[in-house]
Amino acid sequence: PTLRVSLRAQPPGGQVALGDRLVLSCEVATGTGPLSFSWHREGARASLGTGARLELQQVGDSDSGHYHCRVSNGDSVAESPTLKVTVL
């Protein structure tokens, strides 16, 4: 089955004040088997983390950008829509 992946942000909308905490959650609507997650920001070479959540404790100006998560169940890989994070 195809994986359907969505992305949620806290605070909602991806707008976060400088120094505040940002939590991104990757949610899978369909799919079976053990799931593996990876987090990516446009322009960054390495994965930002693994797991269904990405938590940035104190965001800085360099944390602004477009984020997405990638989910694999061993058979297929799917990506979430991109979320624009803006540090205010």
Side-chain angles (χ1 to χ4, degrees):
T2 305
L3 297 169
R4 287 193 4 236
V5 183
S6 60
L7 186 58
R8 280 191 314 124
Q10 187 62 39
Q15 292 193 347
V16 59
L18 185 67
D20 279 0
R21 183 174 75 133
L22 172 69
V23 179
L24 301 178
S25 300
C26 193
E27 298 176 346
V28 181
T30 58
T32 58
L35 300 175
S36 62
F37 297 85
S38 61
W39 288 93
H40 307 272
R41 185 177 70 228
E42 185 179 59
R45 291 182 187 266
S47 167
L48 302 173
T50 59
R53 287 166 43 108
L54 177 68
E55 191 167 330
L56 304 177
Q57 288 293 333
Q58 294 183 326
V59 298
D61 290 329
S62 63
D63 293 315
S64 288
H66 294 86
Y67 289 75
H68 70 275
C69 66
R70 185 175 296 146
V71 182
S72 172
N73 64 0
D75 294 323
S76 61
V77 176
E79 291 187 357
S80 70
T82 301
L83 174 73
K84 181 180 180 184
V85 171
T86 304
V87 178
L88 306 173

